[in-house]
Amino acid sequence: MLVTLDNLESLLSALEQSDSLEGMQRVIEALRAHYGVAHLVYHWVDSRGDQYGCGTYSDAWRQKYLDETYLRIDPVVQGCYQRFHPVDWKRLDWSSKAAREFAKVAAEYGVGNQGFSIPIRGPNGQFALFTVNDTCDDRTWAGFTQSNRRDLILIAHYFNEKALEFEPARQPGQQQPLSPREVDAMTLIAVGYSRAQIADRLSISEHTLRVYIESARFKLGALNTTHAVARAMSRGLIVV
Amino acid sequence: MLRYVYADQLNQCPRLKDEMFTHRADQFRTRLGWDVSVDARGHERDEYDALNPLYVIWETAEGGHGGSTRFLPTTGPVMANDHFAHLVSTPIRSPLIWECTPFCMAPGQGPNVAAALMLGGGELMNGFSIRHFVGVFDARMVRIHCRVGSSPEVLGSTGEVRGKDATGLALDFGSSIWRPRTASQRVQVSRRR
């Protein structure tokens, strides 16, 4: 499960450029191969119970899930709905008879024994889940989630941003603007200043600078600062 | 003990719920004189309590509310972005940056409760890969944070918050007590690269 960041960044660029659910599907399949896990799933659940998304679960399992209306008993959806912290499936309540039966059927359809789900709360009550699923022992799984949790949280939100773009009411290319401080920070990083120099120049502490860089990174859909600077430049948000 | 409770789970601990909102009214309206809304039950609530936030609550040995704070990710509406754009360069947005509200202390509780709440914040950081907390605090709360070992940093200059002086802060819960774990996480990130 070795992960190289360069590859991840190129996958995120592909995600940003995709303009359809099929494009998202191709990216999630590549991400699954990249992480070397059994499954990756992006699952949008709206307040009316409509479902939408992409992922690597089999067509048979997706159909079974819909036919049996598993949404109502799936402990992952029930346990994550309206939450905002990532959850290991082992910490969910699988004790009911319906949940145990659901888990048994899921396994028959190729769903692995380990799961890690990231709930995402979008605008106006929008809700989605991004799930990594695999078959391995607890120790291996704990190591994997610990090492990749931060990136997975960001990637989960980038999938959701992309899915929101496809909403009829949304304007295409509606990107979050950088705040004045974020523009300052990105510009000075781009011209090669060190963090200490930037903090000094902006008359803020390095810690505060890190907050602005973290926020800018998210708005730019990047995992690391180098990638964030490249994106800010290509979007014309900073001029060097 | 520390309790981590989402708003929609508060009904499972009615005493903590009632006392937390009552103590918030005591602290923010009565003691600090902030212009907050208090309902007929004597509970202080705002629109962010309706967004199913996560509360970290110190439960006393007697089962009462000893102190609490409220968390929301900055990907959604938060006070710092909505009301304090004059204090910080906003909006700050990231699932790895959460807003933390000023600690509410029950009457008679000392710095040990603030320290416990800091520990709760540190646990959230470690467990959920949160990099930073931001919040809007008054000068008195800044002193409390300094006493219990966090190193709050001023994001913006002072201004008026609900009629009182206030300061926008980035809270570094990663200092002192939590530094070792934060450092080990960094090691793993660099190993992976």
Side-chain angles (χ1 to χ4, degrees):
Chain A
M1 288 196 260
L2 189 71
V3 174
T4 61
L5 204 65
D6 288 347
N7 194 5
L8 263 187
E9 297 292 6
S10 62
L11 288 174
L12 286 183
S13 294
L15 175 65
E16 197 196 16
Q17 282 149 25
S18 60
D19 53 8
S20 64
L21 196 55
E22 290 72 31
M24 288 177 73
Q25 178 66 30
R26 278 193 297 276
V27 173
I28 209 163
E29 286 172 12
L31 267 176
R32 189 209 65 76
H34 176 84
Y35 279 110
V37 292
H39 295 292
L40 273 183
V41 180
Y42 168 78
H43 186 186
W44 170 319
V45 185
D46 78 12
S47 54
R48 297 184 306 272
D50 288 341
Q51 299 172 72
Y52 162 82
C54 57
T56 62
Y57 286 155
S58 68
D59 291 341
W61 173 235
R62 266 201 296 274
Q63 197 55 52
K64 178 83 174 166
Y65 194 96
L66 293 173
D67 291 347
E68 303 282 343
T69 56
Y70 279 142
L71 191 64
R72 289 179 296 118
I73 51 166
D74 183 350
V76 179
V77 173
Q78 297 302 320
C80 289
Y81 195 67
Q82 296 308 330
R83 302 280 181 266
F84 47 80
H85 69 281
V87 177
D88 191 295
W89 286 8
K90 281 192 285 295
R91 306 198 61 149
L92 297 166
D93 182 5
W94 297 87
S95 62
S96 76
K97 195 179 165 205
R100 289 199 311 273
E101 178 63 20
F102 166 75
K104 189 165 146 272
V105 178
E108 287 164 11
Y109 280 83
V111 178
N113 66 329
Q114 304 283 2
F116 184 72
S117 292
I118 297 152
I120 305 146
R121 304 205 300 195
N124 308 317
Q126 186 257 347
F127 178 77
L129 275 171
F130 187 83
T131 290
V132 195
N133 175 269
D134 203 10
T135 298
C136 61
D137 61 52
D138 288 356
R139 199 185 147 89
T140 307
W141 187 242
F144 173 79
T145 55
Q146 173 82 14
S147 309
N148 296 295
R149 188 173 51 206
R150 176 189 163 277
D151 285 354
L152 290 169
I153 291 170
L154 291 173
I155 291 167
H157 284 79
Y158 299 154
F159 267 86
N160 200 55
E161 285 294 310
K162 180 52 74 177
L164 284 166
E165 269 181 30
F166 303 152
E167 283 286 276
R170 290 267 290 209
Q171 301 296 319
Q174 198 175 353
Q175 277 156 354
Q176 307 216 48
L178 295 182
S179 75
R181 276 298 195 218
E182 290 162 1
V183 171
D184 292 343
M186 288 291 118
T187 305
L188 292 171
I189 291 169
V191 298
Y193 281 93
S194 73
R195 299 207 175 184
Q197 289 170 322
I198 297 169
D200 190 47
R201 235 182 119 131
L202 298 178
S203 301
I204 57 178
S205 70
E206 277 192 60
H207 183 79
T208 298
L209 176 65
R210 287 203 298 273
V211 174
Y212 289 129
I213 295 172
E214 189 71 58
S215 175
R217 207 161 22 211
F218 176 66
K219 290 177 187 176
L220 292 162
L223 291 179
N224 67 18
T225 305
T226 309
H227 190 217
V229 168
R231 285 202 168 184
M233 289 175 76
S234 69
R235 287 183 193 173
L237 296 173
I238 59 171
V239 179
V240 178
Chain B
M1 67 180 284
L2 274 175
R3 303 277 299 262
Y4 301 82
V5 188
Y6 276 92
D8 63 6
Q9 299 168 316
L10 276 175
N11 283 334
Q12 296 162 29
C13 33
R15 180 174 167 193
L16 288 181
K17 177 185 179 181
D18 177 62
E19 290 184 3
M20 176 173 74
F21 289 116
T22 303
H23 291 158
R24 274 171 46 171
D26 288 348
Q27 173 164 327
F28 297 118
R29 187 176 67 170
T30 311
R31 298 211 294 279
L32 294 173
W34 289 13
D35 180 21
V36 294
S37 61
V38 175
D39 66 18
R41 289 170 295 180
H43 288 179
E44 188 267 307
R45 283 172 192 272
D46 63 25
E47 64 267 40
Y48 303 95
D49 292 303
L51 299 174
N52 204 33
L54 176 64
Y55 302 97
V56 174
I57 304 175
W58 175 257
E59 185 179 7
T60 63
E62 295 76 40
H65 170 261
S68 54
T69 184
R70 182 181 73 193
F71 292 92
L72 276 169
T74 57
T75 45
V78 290
M79 294 169 73
N81 286 332
D82 296 350
H83 299 301
F84 305 111
H86 58 294
L87 290 177
V88 294
S89 181
T90 56
I92 290 168
R93 295 227 181 280
S94 170
L96 308 178
I97 306 173
W98 288 13
E99 177 174 80
C100 165
T101 58
F103 292 177
C104 165
M105 309 288 198
Q109 297 287 342
N112 57 321
V113 172
L117 295 174
M118 294 290 306
L119 180 67
E123 290 292 330
L124 295 183
M125 279 192 141
N126 286 324
F128 306 146
S129 297
I130 301 161
R131 291 295 188 86
H132 307 281
F133 291 125
V134 294
V136 179
F137 287 61
D138 74 336
R140 208 189 67 136
M141 292 306 297
V142 175
R143 286 196 296 276
I144 290 174
H145 278 272
C146 290
R147 263 206 309 268
V148 296
S150 86
S151 55
E153 304 240 11
V154 178
L155 274 174
S157 57
T158 54
E160 287 252 306
V161 176
R162 293 172 168 154
K164 293 285 156 181
D165 283 350
T167 308
L169 294 177
L171 292 173
D172 181 6
F173 283 24
S175 66
S176 58
I177 312 172
W178 300 284
R179 185 65 78 197
R181 285 205 226 166
T182 315
S184 72
Q185 285 178 342
R186 285 208 193 100
V187 169
Q188 285 180 346
V189 170
S190 55
R191 256 192 221 134
R192 193 191 60 205
R193 285 173 190 168

Coordinates of all heavy atoms in Angstrom, one line a residue, chain B residues 158-192:
Chain B
T158 N -7.7 43.2 17.6 CA -8.8 43.2 18.4 C -10.0 44.1 17.8 O -9.7 44.9 17.0 CB -8.5 43.8 19.8 OG1 -8.0 45.1 19.6 CG2 -7.6 42.9 20.6
G159 N -11.2 43.7 18.2 CA -12.3 44.4 17.7 C -13.5 44.2 18.6 O -13.3 43.7 19.7
E160 N -14.6 44.6 18.1 CA -15.8 44.5 19.0 C -16.5 43.1 18.6 O -16.7 42.8 17.5 CB -16.8 45.6 18.7 CG -16.3 46.9 19.2 CD -17.1 47.3 20.4 OE1 -18.4 47.4 20.3 OE2 -16.6 47.5 21.5
V161 N -16.8 42.3 19.6 CA -17.6 41.2 19.5 C -18.8 41.2 20.4 O -18.6 41.3 21.6 CB -16.8 39.9 19.7 CG1 -17.8 38.7 19.6 CG2 -15.7 39.7 18.8
R162 N -20.0 41.3 19.9 CA -21.1 41.4 20.8 C -20.9 42.4 21.9 O -21.1 42.2 23.1 CB -21.4 40.0 21.4 CG -21.9 39.1 20.3 CD -22.0 37.6 20.7 NE -22.7 36.9 19.6 CZ -22.6 35.6 19.4 NH1 -21.9 34.9 20.2 NH2 -23.3 35.0 18.5
G163 N -20.4 43.5 21.5 CA -20.3 44.7 22.4 C -19.0 44.6 23.3 O -18.8 45.5 24.1
K164 N -18.2 43.6 23.1 CA -17.0 43.4 24.0 C -15.8 43.3 23.1 O -15.8 42.8 22.0 CB -17.1 42.2 24.9 CG -18.3 42.3 25.9 CD -17.9 43.2 27.0 CE -19.2 43.8 27.7 NZ -18.9 44.7 28.8
D165 N -14.6 43.6 23.7 CA -13.4 43.5 23.0 C -13.2 42.0 22.7 O -13.5 41.1 23.5 CB -12.2 44.0 23.9 CG -12.1 45.5 23.9 OD1 -12.8 46.1 23.1 OD2 -11.4 46.0 24.7
A166 N -12.7 41.7 21.5 CA -12.4 40.3 21.2 C -11.2 40.2 20.3 O -10.8 41.2 19.7 CB -13.6 39.7 20.5
T167 N -10.7 39.0 20.2 CA -9.5 38.7 19.4 C -9.8 37.4 18.6 O -10.3 36.5 19.1 CB -8.3 38.5 20.3 OG1 -8.3 39.6 21.2 CG2 -7.1 38.4 19.5
G168 N -9.4 37.5 17.3 CA -9.5 36.2 16.5 C -8.2 35.4 16.7 O -7.1 36.0 16.6
L169 N -8.4 34.2 16.9 CA -7.2 33.4 17.3 C -7.0 32.1 16.5 O -8.0 31.5 16.2 CB -7.2 33.0 18.8 CG -7.2 34.1 19.8 CD1 -7.3 33.4 21.2 CD2 -5.9 34.8 19.7
A170 N -5.8 31.7 16.2 CA -5.5 30.4 15.9 C -5.0 29.7 17.1 O -4.1 30.2 17.8 CB -4.5 30.3 14.8
L171 N -5.6 28.6 17.5 CA -5.2 27.9 18.7 C -4.3 26.8 18.4 O -4.7 25.9 17.6 CB -6.5 27.4 19.5 CG -7.4 28.5 20.0 CD1 -8.6 27.8 20.6 CD2 -6.7 29.2 21.1
D172 N -3.2 26.8 19.0 CA -2.2 25.7 18.8 C -2.4 24.7 19.9 O -1.7 24.8 20.9 CB -0.8 26.2 18.6 CG 0.2 25.1 18.4 OD1 -0.3 24.0 18.2 OD2 1.4 25.4 18.4
F173 N -3.3 23.7 19.8 CA -3.4 22.7 20.8 C -2.3 21.7 20.7 O -2.2 20.8 21.5 CB -4.7 21.9 20.6 CG -5.9 22.7 21.1 CD1 -5.9 24.1 21.2 CD2 -7.1 22.1 21.5 CE1 -7.0 24.8 21.6 CE2 -8.2 22.8 22.0 CZ -8.1 24.2 22.0
G174 N -1.4 21.8 19.7 CA -0.4 20.9 19.5 C 0.8 21.1 20.4 O 1.8 20.4 20.3
S175 N 0.8 22.2 21.1 CA 2.0 22.5 21.9 C 2.1 21.7 23.2 O 1.2 21.0 23.5 CB 2.0 24.0 22.3 OG 0.9 24.2 23.2
S176 N 3.2 21.8 23.9 CA 3.5 21.1 25.1 C 3.0 19.7 25.2 O 3.6 18.8 24.6 CB 3.0 21.9 26.3 OG 1.6 22.1 26.3
I177 N 1.8 19.5 25.8 CA 1.3 18.1 26.1 C 1.3 17.2 24.8 O 1.6 16.1 24.8 CB -0.1 18.1 26.7 CG1 -0.2 19.1 27.8 CG2 -0.5 16.7 27.1 CD1 -1.6 19.3 28.3
W178 N 0.9 17.9 23.7 CA 0.6 17.1 22.5 C 1.7 17.1 21.5 O 1.6 16.4 20.5 CB -0.7 17.6 21.8 CG -1.8 17.4 22.8 CD1 -2.4 16.2 23.1 CD2 -2.4 18.4 23.6 NE1 -3.4 16.5 24.1 CE2 -3.4 17.8 24.4 CE3 -2.2 19.8 23.7 CZ2 -4.1 18.5 25.3 CZ3 -2.9 20.5 24.6 CH2 -3.9 19.9 25.4
R179 N 2.7 17.8 21.8 CA 3.8 17.9 20.8 C 4.4 16.6 20.4 O 4.6 16.3 19.2 CB 4.9 18.9 21.3 CG 6.0 19.1 20.3 CD 5.5 19.9 19.1 NE 5.4 21.3 19.3 CZ 4.7 22.1 18.6 NH1 4.0 21.7 17.5 NH2 4.6 23.4 18.9
P180 N 4.7 15.7 21.3 CA 5.3 14.4 20.9 C 4.5 13.6 19.9 O 5.0 13.2 18.9 CB 5.3 13.6 22.2 CG 5.4 14.6 23.3 CD 4.5 15.8 22.8
R181 N 3.2 13.6 20.1 CA 2.3 12.8 19.1 C 2.3 13.5 17.8 O 2.3 12.9 16.7 CB 0.9 12.7 19.6 CG 0.8 11.6 20.7 CD -0.5 11.1 20.8 NE -1.0 11.0 22.2 CZ -2.3 10.9 22.5 NH1 -3.2 10.8 21.6 NH2 -2.6 10.8 23.8
T182 N 2.2 14.8 17.8 CA 2.1 15.6 16.6 C 3.4 15.3 15.8 O 3.4 15.1 14.6 CB 2.0 17.1 16.9 OG1 1.0 17.2 17.8 CG2 1.6 17.8 15.6
A183 N 4.5 15.3 16.5 CA 5.8 15.1 15.9 C 5.9 13.7 15.2 O 6.4 13.6 14.1 CB 6.9 15.3 16.9
S184 N 5.3 12.7 15.9 CA 5.4 11.3 15.4 C 4.5 11.2 14.1 O 4.9 10.5 13.2 CB 4.9 10.3 16.4 OG 3.6 10.4 16.6
Q185 N 3.4 12.0 14.1 CA 2.6 12.0 12.8 C 3.4 12.6 11.7 O 3.4 12.1 10.6 CB 1.4 12.8 13.0 CG 0.3 12.1 13.9 CD -0.9 12.9 14.1 OE1 -0.9 14.1 14.0 NE2 -2.0 12.2 14.5
R186 N 4.2 13.6 12.0 CA 5.0 14.3 10.9 C 6.0 13.3 10.4 O 6.3 13.2 9.2 CB 5.7 15.5 11.5 CG 4.8 16.6 11.6 CD 5.5 18.0 11.5 NE 4.7 19.0 12.0 CZ 4.7 19.6 13.2 NH1 5.7 19.2 14.0 NH2 3.9 20.5 13.5
V187 N 6.6 12.5 11.3 CA 7.6 11.5 10.9 C 7.0 10.5 9.9 O 7.5 10.2 8.8 CB 8.1 10.7 12.1 CG1 9.0 9.5 11.6 CG2 9.0 11.7 12.9
Q188 N 5.7 10.1 10.2 CA 5.1 9.1 9.2 C 4.8 9.8 7.9 O 5.0 9.1 6.9 CB 3.8 8.6 9.9 CG 4.1 7.7 11.0 CD 2.8 7.1 11.6 OE1 1.7 7.7 11.4 NE2 2.9 6.1 12.4
V189 N 4.4 11.0 7.9 CA 4.1 11.7 6.6 C 5.4 11.8 5.8 O 5.4 11.4 4.6 CB 3.5 13.1 6.9 CG1 3.5 13.9 5.6 CG2 2.1 13.0 7.5
S190 N 6.5 12.1 6.5 CA 7.7 12.3 5.6 C 8.3 10.9 5.2 O 8.8 10.8 4.1 CB 8.8 13.0 6.4 OG 9.0 12.4 7.7
R191 N 8.0 9.9 6.0 CA 8.5 8.5 5.6 C 7.7 8.1 4.4 O 8.3 7.5 3.4 CB 8.1 7.5 6.7 CG 9.3 7.1 7.5 CD 9.0 5.9 8.4 NE 9.6 6.1 9.7 CZ 9.0 5.9 10.8 NH1 7.7 5.5 10.8 NH2 9.6 6.0 11.9
R192 N 6.4 8.4 4.4 CA 5.6 8.0 3.2 C 6.1 8.6 2.0 O 6.0 8.1 0.9 CB 4.1 8.4 3.5 CG 3.1 7.8 2.6 CD 1.8 8.5 2.8 NE 1.9 9.9 2.5 CZ 1.1 10.8 3.0 NH1 0.2 10.5 3.8 NH2 1.2 12.0 2.7

